[in-house]
Amino acid sequence: EVVQELIAKLRAQLAALLAASQAHVAGQDAEAAHHRAALAQLHTRLIASQADHTAARQQCEAAAATIDKLIAENEQLSDQLNRQHHSSGGKQSRGFPATPTEQDRLQLAG
């Protein structure tokens, strides 16, 4: 009879340990699922952020190319104006006045 009681107590303890272990595992599974969901959300946000970054970089590269083109055009026009100015002996050429002389300044001053 004492042996039967001991066996019954041990079975009850084992059942309680098994239930506690199963509850702990279920809790860990739920926590792992929560972490997986959070990680998936972060991954989605990272991909969207990378796409935004790529689009912004492409816009900056396009703007830089436009700026480079405008600088080159400006330099080309400046060179043309300088050549026209020098070839005309410093006189007015194609509507662009030569650098004003002292006499021009005095006339403008009235």
Side-chain angles (χ1 to χ4, degrees), residues 1-18:
E1 213 175 279
V2 174
V3 172
Q4 292 297 330
E5 284 179 27
L6 260 166
I7 290 174
K9 283 183 183 179
L10 286 174
R11 282 186 178 164
Q13 286 178 346
L14 280 174
L17 281 173
L18 179 61

Side-chain angles (χ1 to χ4, degrees), residues 48-69:
S49 176
Q50 287 174 332
D52 290 345
H53 175 22
T54 298
R57 187 187 73 233
Q58 289 171 344
Q59 288 176 345
C60 287
E61 289 171 354
T66 300
I67 289 169
D68 289 344
K69 179 182 172 192

Side-chain angles (χ1 to χ4, degrees), residues 6-87:
L6 260 166
I7 290 174
K9 283 183 183 179
L10 286 174
R11 282 186 178 164
Q13 286 178 346
L14 280 174
L17 281 173
L18 179 61
S21 176
Q22 288 173 335
H24 182 69
V25 168
Q28 285 183 330
D29 286 346
E31 188 176 351
H34 174 73
H35 286 293
R36 281 192 298 274
L39 184 61
Q41 185 180 25
L42 286 173
H43 186 259
T44 300
R45 288 172 52 196
L46 174 64
I47 290 171
S49 176
Q50 287 174 332
D52 290 345
H53 175 22
T54 298
R57 187 187 73 233
Q58 289 171 344
Q59 288 176 345
C60 287
E61 289 171 354
T66 300
I67 289 169
D68 289 344
K69 179 182 172 192
L70 291 172
I71 288 171
E73 288 175 3
N74 186 47
E75 288 174 351
Q76 196 174 28
L77 288 171
S78 179
D79 289 347
Q80 284 178 346
L81 288 174
N82 283 335
R83 280 193 302 274
Q84 288 173 357
H85 178 73
H86 291 302
S87 68

